[in-house]
């Protein structure tokens, strides 16, 4: 899919509070999607750290974009499981979210997400996901 189509999907298929994350699609290819999670005061907690809830929402949203990239279109699905491990704080920089599809079956899809500091490239959050295909 074109980056512009994936970017447009953020306004079509996601709730306004997810749109408020201001995610920006950077790349889309056979290895998944890469999305920028801009640093924003409204997503920060004490010390300017991006809150875990924002990172989990970004991970979940980017995985849906990766599934769209995999299929070439939007198909309804719903999150069954999202496991997150926070490795270090994300502060003072944007986040770069890389979501990739691991396997797609008839009823379930599996993926993994790595969120890194956009400037230093260090992983701050790793997540694995399972989606029910509707």
């Amino acid at each position: 899919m074109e980056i512009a189509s994936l970017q447009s999907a953020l306004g079509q298929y996601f709730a306004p509070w997810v749109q408020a994350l201001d995610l920006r699609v950077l790349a889309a290819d056979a290895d998944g999607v890469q999305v920028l999670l801009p640093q924003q005061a409204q997503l920060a907690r004490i010390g300017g750290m991006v809150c875990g809830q924002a990172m989990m929402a970004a991970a979940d949203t980017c995985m849906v974009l990766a599934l769209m990239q995999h299929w070439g279109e939007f198909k309804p699905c719903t999150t069954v499981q999202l496991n997150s491990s926070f490795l270090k704080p994300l502060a003072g920089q944007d986040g770069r979210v890389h979501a990739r599809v691991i396997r797609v079956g008839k009823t379930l899809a599996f993926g993994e997400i790595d969120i890194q500091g956009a400037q230093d490239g260090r992983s701050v959050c790793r997540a694995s996901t399972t989606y029910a295909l509707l």
Side-chain angles (χ1 to χ4, degrees), residues 101-115:
V101 175
I102 300 300
R103 181 180 183 284
V104 176
K106 291 181 183 180
T107 60
L108 295 174
F110 304 88
E112 63 183 19
I113 302 101
D114 183 25
I115 302 177

Side-chain angles (χ1 to χ4, degrees), residues 9 14 20 30 32 42 96 132-133:
F14 297 94
Q42 68 188 21
R96 187 178 186 103
L133 308 179

